[in-house]
Structure formats: structure tokens, C-alpha cells
Amino acid sequence: DQWVNLRVGTDAALALGMAHVIVKEGLYRHDFVAEQTDLPLLVREDTGKFLRQSDLRAGGAQDVFYLWDRRRGQALEAPGSEGLGRGTSLALGKLDPALEGEFSVRLADGADVRVRTVFERLRQRLGEYTPERAAAITGLDAEVIAELGREFARAKAVSVFGSWGMMKH
């Protein structure tokens, strides 16, 4: 257990600083993140919206999303997309989703558009939240923030407990 006394209302900055360390140092489980999160989904650079089946083919669904399969080198439908009508199973099977990268896809209208994974966009945003920047916001030492991130990454399970006082949690 570790108690940290950060400034009130700065817990988001603490979490971002910790996440910066986890991502920068590669302390996450790639297989888990690729299968159990939306981080491999593709986002259009021109609109900032998820790449959808309706972008790629006339009459396509709005609720079928895409990931970049590293084995095939192309955008493929993401398992678990509601519009596929196969339940919400996230099993990847033979898919090998990229977490990192920027790619080009051809839209239904023939235009090419650049897409990036949610993970790539997150990594870019986390670049702004170094432990030093988080320390300036939270009042904690940068190394404390970095070590907390490492401890979170190593833990099998984590619980964050916040308290407003003796009887409110």
C-alpha cells in the first residue's frame, strides 16, 4: 500500500503521469490491450472519428469498426463490433491488431485517408504528461509518480481508494 498526498482535484494528472510511464516503458500487456480494449481501433485523421464500415463501402454499417491487422497489412473489421451481429465476443482468432502506427485506407468514394490507432493517439497525448509535468500539477515528486506507474503495471490487481473525510468515500 502506498498513500500519496496530492493536491485536491489533481488525480487525473497523477493518472496521466503514471500512464505516461506505463506506455513509454512498454509495461502493458500487448495481447490484453489488443484484445480487451478499444486501443487498436482505427481513427480517421481527417475527422477524428472511428473508421467505420460505412466509410469503406456504400450502405455499410455505422457500428462496425476497424483495426489494422499486422499479418495482412490491411484494415479489417474489429471483432465485437455491434453491427456484426455475432454478439460482443472480442476473440481475435488469427487477427494480429497493430497498437502502433499510421496507415492509409481507401474510402468508398475512392479517396485515401490516413488513420491511426487509438493507442497511437493516446501515446501522443500522454507524451504531454511526463512525470515532471504531473508533479508540477499534483505537488508530488516526479519519481514517486513514475514508481507508482511501474507498481501499477506490475500488480496483478489494483484498487484506488479516495476519501473525502472520515465517513465519505
Side-chain angles (χ1 to χ4, degrees):
D1 292 350
Q2 187 166 358
W3 178 77
V4 291
N5 188 20
L6 62 156
R7 290 185 186 117
V8 174
T10 64
D11 49 331
L14 172 61
L16 289 165
M18 292 166 57
H20 171 95
V21 171
I22 292 168
V23 169
K24 184 176 182 182
E25 296 181 8
L27 303 176
Y28 54 89
R29 284 186 26 224
H30 183 278
D31 58 336
F32 177 86
V33 172
E35 184 178 73
Q36 297 295 320
T37 74
D38 67 353
L39 294 175
L41 294 181
L42 297 174
V43 177
R44 293 175 56 156
E45 286 295 289
D46 61 340
T47 64
K49 296 182 179 184
F50 287 117
L51 181 67
R52 301 165 189 271
Q53 190 182 67
S54 58
D55 295 326
L56 301 179
R57 65 173 111 138
Q62 288 284 322
D63 54 1
V64 175
F65 304 105
Y66 284 78
L67 50 76
W68 190 265
D69 184 51
R70 295 189 304 180
R71 286 191 183 108
R72 295 187 185 131
Q74 66 184 40
L76 297 176
E77 294 174 348
S81 292
E82 187 174 330
L84 292 176
R86 295 181 281 215
T88 57
S89 172
L90 299 176
L92 295 174
K94 295 183 180 188
L95 294 176
D96 183 17
L99 288 179
E100 301 176 20
E102 183 174 324
F103 313 98
S104 180
V105 296
R106 176 133 313 146
L107 301 178
D109 65 7
D112 290 326
V113 67
R114 301 297 296 171
V115 294
R116 285 191 300 157
T117 63
V118 173
F119 182 86
E120 190 70 39
R121 294 169 63 93
L122 174 66
R123 185 169 62 171
Q124 179 182 1
R125 179 58 59 95
L126 289 175
E128 302 170 21
Y129 286 93
T130 63
E132 292 74 22
R133 179 168 183 218
I137 297 168
T138 63
L140 299 174
D141 184 84
E143 189 50 41
V144 168
I145 294 170
E147 191 51 39
L148 277 172
R150 293 179 191 114
E151 286 182 34
F152 261 57
R154 286 191 302 263
K156 289 183 180 180
V158 176
S159 178
V160 177
F161 180 79
S163 174
W164 296 324
M166 292 283 291
M167 303 307 287
K168 294 184 180 182
H169 306 286

